[in-house]
Amino acid sequence: MSKMHEITINLNGVDRNLEVEPRRLLCDVLREDFGLTGTHVSCEIGVCGVCTVLMNGKTCRSCLTFAIQADGAEVKTVEYMNQAKGLNYIQKAFHENHALQCGYCTPGFLIVLDNLFTNNKNPSDDQINEALSDVLCRCTGYKNIFKAACDAREALKQM
Amino acid sequence: MTTLNFGHPTLRKEDPAILRGEVRYISDMNATGMLFAKVVRSTLAHAKILSIDKSAALNLDGVVAVYIAEDLGPSQRHLASFGQFPPPLLEKWNPKIRPAPVTTLADEIVRYVGEPVALVVANDQYIAEDAAELVSIEYEPLTSISNTVQALSQESPSIHKLEDSLNVISSEPWRSWCSSKEQWNDKGEYQVKWGHNTGIDMRVRVGETDKEFLKANIIVKDQYSSHRYTGVPLEGRGILAIPDPDGEGLMVWSSHQIPYFHRALISESIGISEEKIRVSQPYLGGGFGQKAGIYGEDVLIPFAALKLNRPVKWLEDKIEHFQASSHSREQVFDAEMAFDSNGKILGLRYEVLIDTGAHLTFPVVLPYLGMCHIFGPYRISCMEARIRSVFTNKATAAPYRGAGRPEVVFMVNRLIDHGAKKLGIDPVEIRRINLISSEEMPYDAGILYRDGSPLILDSGNYPEALEKSVNAINYDKFRIKQKELFNVGRFVGIGVACNIEAGGLGPVEGARVEIKSSGDVVIHLGVVDTGQGHRTVFAQICADILNLDLDRVSVRSGDSRGVIYSRGTYHSRAAVLVGNAVQSASLKVRKKLLKLVSHIFEVSEEDLEIRKGTIYVKGAPDKSITIDRCAQLCVPDGSSVAAAVASAGAIVSLPLGMEPSLDETSFQAGTSVVWGHACHIATVEVDPELGIIKILNYVIAHDCGKVINPLIVHGQVHGGIAQGIGGTIFEQLIYDNDGQLLTSNMADYMLPRSTDIPDIEIISLESPSPNNPLGIKGTGEGGTIGPPSVLAAAVEDALESFGVKITSTPLTPGKIIDAIQSAKQ
Amino acid sequence: MKPAPFEYLAPNKLSEAVSLLSELGEEASIMAGGQSLVPAMTVRLASPDTIIDVNNIKELKNINIDDQNIRIGALVTHSDVESSEQLRSVLPILSTIAKHIAHPTIRNRGTFGGSLAHADPAAEWPCVLLGMNGSIKANSVRGERTIKAKDFFQSLFSTTLETDEILTEAIIPLSATRSSWVFQEVSKQVGAFGIVFVLVGVLKNQSGLVEDVCAVLGGCGDVPLIPSVNQTIIVGKIPTINLVEQYTAEIIRSLDPPSDINATKGNRIQMARTLLMRALTEALSL
């Protein structure tokens, strides 16, 4: 059994302490130790993107990150964008465009789009497509997700 | 009754909770004290297990148990298959069937890389993985068989021994399932010496093909093949089995499309009665058929939980998914089609070898169900086929969204395109000549369908689908543009393919509609929602009948306590059967409500109407009562009734003979399947030097009968086409000659991304089915059926000047480059 | 799939890192972005006893351009390269190539140095370094040395880095910025590893004569290839399609690419020929 390390992660705005074995992946720590099951796990090798979270303001595959590497970092999971009630502007656009079916990939798309709009309040269609190419979906065929992203872009302009 | 909801693109009720990350999938389900399981799998494709040493694994701190076949007692057994030939088909066709079911764990022989050999149970997932590596298995390698041709050769070893098959077939239900006359001799002995490594061998014929072929003006003859690929739902399979407090029963959460069958398997394998087992579904991250397979884990995990008297959780990882969850689509057709001089199809003959992998788990589906899709939308009244499912040392093939339809449709559409070419007829024109017209509906194809009932196409306007999609893509204009682009060295092409789609397979599905004393309506279902919006569409139907807001109606599905019996989610059947069952049960509840209210107000039921959750006496607006209130009066829920009665200031009695409760169940029998159809048209540009394909436009004219929710239907079509495109261009399961799977992760097995799927124009047609009250047809699988045919046609058309012929998938860059090279020679 | 157990160290200084590596030797792996290392560990193809995470060593994150060289610190991410104005102003092809690497999120963590040290035959930066006559800087307790790209890439996933060395910097001579560079690849999907790719750099003088030409091929062998062909086919001449065809033919003759699940040898030869023709034609503005 390897040496345990004490780490502190600023998780969705709150400092959380934890003792971890180095090999524990960030996705598992988020989901199991912190109960944040919004982040999902699928391919486990960084290809599909459903595990994507934000680390220090950049998108990051939590299945390719050891929790110990998040020591001292600011990590945001999909739960951070939840309003007290109801849906935020991206979630609403997804709902209105039927941009989710089984929902398993949805957290990945929400995170990459949130990140896109944070850095660029008016991305072009190409920039939206580039962001979307980061995450795999097996149910929707993607077009509704693109439409939702475009609607979110419009909604952001009004906010 | 209203149609406030039915037919509307209602937004999904389940979305907000999913978007907020508040729902749970199987990996999010936990139980106190739960243990984690890891399956140890075969690393060889075909081998004898000489010994298994568990000691190092058991010695690892945190490991609780390691099970191998001999530890399972009677739970080590053959697992029942799904999708058997029904008696009418056995009677009519006498298929030879060699049972080769899956066993809980591999026993003496492993037959594919990834086959489960042992189960490790530990305190956490990481330790379980460490321990799995420490289980030491000694194998004696046997020659492995990597393709069907090799399998059929007498020089190859038998993947399933004769004695094993005889053993299986000596008991029920196998004996009944494999009871065709040809298999049993006069002494009642089962004949197994009819085919080497062959699981199914059958011949089908309709009409007199020999006569028709003699009349032919041209015959197209070639080999057409579909490659091996699979569903890859983003969420893998998973099970959490929790022993009941009484130590005997089980609560099983699983990511599973056929939960009642899962329950039956557990019951039979572990030896406890079904009523002691509850199987329920959390949210599912996709299914596509891979979660409706027959798997040892389905029994193994519950076994471990009961044996250890602790909850046990197992999650399939992606390598396991690729190696051991069911594969599909690998079929090779040697086919010929006869045409007259006008391009009319006179007959079809083919032989197909279906690579079924190591086991046979759905005997009738890939061989027979696929074949049935020959009989429309083109008029093919004369055919003859020899269909064989052949064993190889690869993962078991079972239905994947489309379930045999795409492969057969590929063969038929390619034959038609090649016939058109030979005759110098345009591919759209030859289809006009051959499509069954709407005047011919219902159209009796002269053969039995997979369920044993006559194959009768119920309704549909196939020529309309063709014309509308041809117009939408501007076919004639495209042909002009095609020439212009060719002149500047660019290669674009167009392809068209038509298909039918059977949906609504029986035998039955049920729905229970219940109004609680609070006035909330709950629909209980057995089918499983893998993302198709059941929680909304079925609520829509009920909300219309009870004239309630959609928020008041919730759907609980996939729970074995939901309805007495359910078959599950597959064969595009939920909307058809469950939709009608919900309708019927809701009507029963409505009737009872009206009877109650007519009694309260002393009017006849015809004088009542329901609007927005309130029942009114027509013309007397002060005489009304809410459904909530009716529920308080009628539903025996202690405090509510007392409160209602107390506040009413009077005792209200129910009509004579009416029992309390507003709780009705209905079952819809699928006595005859329903037939949707589609026409796919697509344009592509091909870079002939690099073999790269770009899809320019994709149109589908699609008919799935009456539509409950067009938003959902379009989503299904879009998603299905995306999987079809993925399967045709990007995805391929590749084994090497030693049976090692070279594509066992999501990097090597390439799934399509947002940048790969074009915008798809969907033209919606609606020809209601006369076969069920709501006129619904199935839609879940349709999108996957067309792409292989239409893309092969479009690519071939783009490369016409090279004389290329596309007769197989996938359409990889290498294949296109090679096709051009060989055409040059 | 879960990684096997390991000890974790995260030194803040380069001197600490090389010291640890010297102590631990082959039992330890250096982790930069982890986008190749971690998946290998998850499927247990790699199970180092110790991970030395070098991400805290700030000096490895710099991009510097002096009067001789472009110096890219080992920890500069693909995203950094993609968006660096500094680099774009002198060598815009780097930004173009960066866009072909995997997907945006992977690019946020994957590093220039990591990619070079990993030496995946399907990776782009090794090709770039080779084509631009670059070098890498390697540090150890024994000091610092510079290894030319052509002496660095040995075989697939294998470089001449010693077990106790850490790749700290990639160096591209400024002379590379004088050439016109074109990158082309064959891939079924944006971001996937290219089946075959080429990087072509040409330098023309004022009169339009070709002064220098370089073609590097990826996906055609265990390492990126600069086929040794007769440069005078094109160098010293006014370029024409004909000459480009001849030059390409020479290169193709020297190739012996592998067959694998993505393409056969014959496919790769065809792809290489096509890409070279197109890239050279574009680079030479023909």
Side-chain angles (χ1 to χ4, degrees), chain B residues 249-262:
Chain B
L250 267 180
M251 169 74 222
V252 178
W253 292 97
S254 65
S255 196
H256 208 296
Q257 288 172 246
I258 45 178
Y260 287 70
F261 186 74
H262 187 187

Side-chain angles (χ1 to χ4, degrees), chain A residues 23 28 42 86 101-102 142, chain B residues 12 20 25 126 130 234 752:
Chain A
R23 65 166 167 166
D28 293 336
S42 180
Q101 290 184 23
C102 80
Y142 301 106
Chain B
R12 297 195 330 171
R20 291 174 58 92
Y25 298 84
Y126 286 71
D130 294 338
L234 287 183

Side-chain angles (χ1 to χ4, degrees), chain B residues 157-204:
Chain B
S158 289
I159 295 176
H160 291 280
K161 295 215 173 35
L162 256 38
E163 307 90 72
D164 292 340
S165 304
L166 284 172
N167 197 3
V168 173
I169 214 162
S170 61
S171 61
E172 291 296 343
W174 303 99
R175 211 188 152 85
S176 302
W177 286 343
C178 306
S179 67
S180 71
K181 292 195 234 27
E182 292 208 11
Q183 299 193 193
W184 300 85
N185 68 13
D186 298 329
K187 294 189 223 144
E189 289 162 339
Y190 182 73
Q191 308 289 335
V192 289
K193 293 188 202 301
W194 44 265
H196 193 51
N197 284 320
T198 308
I200 293 180
D201 191 346
M202 66 183 297
R203 289 173 197 272
V204 174

Side-chain angles (χ1 to χ4, degrees), chain B residues 508-822:
Chain B
V508 74
E509 269 306 330
R512 176 182 158 213
V513 173
E514 187 195 6
I515 305 188
K516 302 260 189 210
S517 61
S518 58
D520 291 322
V521 182
V522 181
I523 303 174
H524 301 270
L525 305 174
V527 290
V528 177
D529 186 340
T530 64
Q532 314 93 318
H534 290 180
R535 294 175 180 95
T536 300
V537 302
F538 298 127
Q540 283 175 258
I541 295 176
C542 178
D544 270 3
I545 289 169
L546 298 179
N547 213 309
L548 284 172
D549 273 342
L550 206 55
D551 315 342
R552 294 271 303 274
V553 184
S554 53
V555 176
R556 303 220 183 112
S557 57
D559 189 327
S560 61
R561 293 218 182 136
V563 279
I564 287 172
Y565 184 67
S566 164
R567 287 288 278 183
T569 301
Y570 54 91
H571 195 296
S572 305
R573 62 197 296 272
V576 180
L577 296 178
V578 175
N580 281 284
V582 168
Q583 161 99 331
S584 174
S586 305
L587 283 170
K588 285 186 194 172
V589 169
R590 180 192 162 94
K591 185 145 183 66
K592 192 163 180 185
L593 274 171
L594 293 180
K595 192 162 180 207
L596 171 67
V597 176
S598 79
H599 169 78
I600 292 173
F601 290 128
E602 294 171 326
V603 295
S604 81
E605 289 173 35
E606 288 74 47
D607 295 328
L608 296 172
E609 60 186 0
I610 313 182
R611 277 194 325 269
K612 290 191 177 265
T614 303
I615 302 168
Y616 297 87
V617 175
K618 289 179 192 168
D622 56 316
K623 281 193 172 164
S624 69
I625 181 168
T626 62
I627 289 184
D628 300 19
R629 178 75 162 180
C630 292
Q632 284 169 353
L633 296 173
C634 189
V635 176
D637 177 333
S639 57
S640 289
V641 170
V645 167
S647 65
I651 296 169
V652 174
S653 62
L654 297 176
L656 196 64
M658 179 182 282
E659 291 186 11
S661 93
L662 289 164
D663 185 348
E664 302 289 342
T665 299
S666 275
F667 287 91
Q668 174 73 18
T671 44
S672 193
V673 295
V674 291
W675 295 90
H677 68 98
C679 178
H680 298 241
I681 293 197
T683 56
V684 301
E685 176 158 9
V686 184
D687 181 334
E689 293 183 311
L690 298 178
I692 297 292
I693 303 168
K694 182 163 162 48
I695 304 174
L696 303 172
N697 286 300
Y698 200 112
V699 173
I700 179 176
H702 175 264
D703 188 335
C704 60
K706 293 295 277 179
V707 165
I708 307 167
N709 185 328
L711 196 61
I712 305 255
V713 165
H714 285 207
Q716 290 301 301
V717 170
H718 220 112
I721 291 177
Q723 281 189 307
I725 291 173
T728 306
I729 298 180
F730 296 91
E731 303 170 39
Q732 189 178 8
L733 288 163
I734 304 176
Y735 282 90
D736 69 14
N737 287 332
D738 295 322
Q740 294 295 326
L741 182 62
L742 301 176
T743 51
S744 61
N745 60 63
M746 277 209 219
D748 296 325
Y749 186 92
M750 186 183 278
L751 294 174
R753 293 186 179 262
S754 63
T755 37
D756 301 316
I757 307 298
D759 215 344
I760 296 167
E761 184 181 339
I762 301 175
I763 298 165
S764 300
L765 304 171
E766 198 176 87
S767 50
S769 172
N771 291 353
N772 61 76
L774 285 172
I776 300 174
K777 299 181 177 178
T779 195
E781 296 170 89
T784 62
I785 301 173
S789 304
V790 81
L791 293 174
V795 168
E796 191 178 86
D797 186 60
L799 302 175
E800 161 106 67
S801 54
F802 296 98
V804 153
K805 217 179 177 202
I806 306 273
T807 56
S808 67
T809 54
L811 305 178
T812 57
K815 179 178 263 151
I816 290 175
I817 289 174
D818 289 342
I820 293 175
Q821 294 284 23
S822 33

Side-chain angles (χ1 to χ4, degrees), chain A residues 23-25 28 31 37 40 42 44 47 82-83 86 91 95 98 100-103 133 136 138-139 142-143, chain B residues 12 15 19-20 25 27-28 126 130 230-232 234 317-318 531 711 715-716 718-719 731 752-753 757:
Chain A
R23 65 166 167 166
R24 288 209 61 228
L25 296 164
D28 293 336
R31 289 169 44 75
T37 55
H40 297 153
S42 180
E44 302 181 65
V47 170
N82 282 341
Q83 326 262 46
Q91 293 167 330
H95 177 48
H98 188 36
L100 63 151
Q101 290 184 23
C102 80
S133 72
L136 286 176
R138 204 57 177 145
C139 294
Y142 301 106
K143 277 311 154 223
Chain B
R12 297 195 330 171
D15 283 355
L19 287 161
R20 291 174 58 92
Y25 298 84
S27 52
D28 308 325
Y126 286 71
D130 294 338
T230 183
V232 198
L234 287 183
D317 69 36
K318 270 306 165 287
L711 196 61
Q716 290 301 301
H718 220 112
E731 303 170 39
R753 293 186 179 262
I757 307 298

Side-chain angles (χ1 to χ4, degrees), chain A residues 1 21 23-29 31-32 35-50 61 66 78-79 81-88 90-107 109-110 128-147, chain B residues 11-25 27-28 30 36 124-127 129-130 229-236 283-286 288 313 315-319 400-401 529-533 711-716 718-720 722-723 726-727 731 745-749 751-755 757-760:
Chain A
M1 173 76 154
E21 209 193 328
R23 65 166 167 166
R24 288 209 61 228
L25 296 164
L26 181 60
C27 56
D28 293 336
V29 163
R31 289 169 44 75
E32 291 159 28
L36 294 167
T37 55
T39 301
H40 297 153
V41 177
S42 180
C43 75
E44 302 181 65
I45 56 170
V47 170
C48 71
V50 309
R61 300 287 202 236
F66 295 111
V78 71
E79 287 88 344
M81 66 177 76
N82 282 341
Q83 326 262 46
K85 264 170 67 172
L87 303 175
N88 83 354
I90 304 178
Q91 293 167 330
K92 184 160 178 280
F94 268 62
H95 177 48
E96 288 171 356
N97 284 282
H98 188 36
L100 63 151
Q101 290 184 23
C102 80
Y104 207 70
C105 68
T106 307
F109 283 108
L110 292 176
I128 287 182
N129 272 318
E130 198 195 9
L132 296 183
S133 72
D134 214 340
V135 183
L136 286 176
C137 173
R138 204 57 177 145
C139 294
T140 67
Y142 301 106
K143 277 311 154 223
N144 286 351
I145 299 176
F146 175 75
K147 284 201 249 172
Chain B
L11 298 183
R12 297 195 330 171
K13 292 164 53 93
E14 54 265 52
D15 283 355
I18 298 176
L19 287 161
R20 291 174 58 92
E22 288 163 0
V23 306
R24 286 176 180 273
Y25 298 84
S27 52
D28 308 325
N30 299 306
F36 298 80
D124 85 41
Q125 190 64 49
Y126 286 71
I127 294 174
E129 304 254 348
D130 294 338
Y229 54 109
T230 183
V232 198
L234 287 183
E235 181 206 33
Y283 274 66
L284 265 73
F288 312 126
K313 180 170 174 180
L315 299 175
E316 176 193 61
D317 69 36
K318 270 306 165 287
I319 293 181
Y400 156 41
R401 197 176 189 183
D529 186 340
T530 64
Q532 314 93 318
L711 196 61
I712 305 255
V713 165
H714 285 207
Q716 290 301 301
H718 220 112
Q723 281 189 307
E731 303 170 39
N745 60 63
M746 277 209 219
D748 296 325
Y749 186 92
L751 294 174
R753 293 186 179 262
S754 63
T755 37
I757 307 298
D759 215 344
I760 296 167

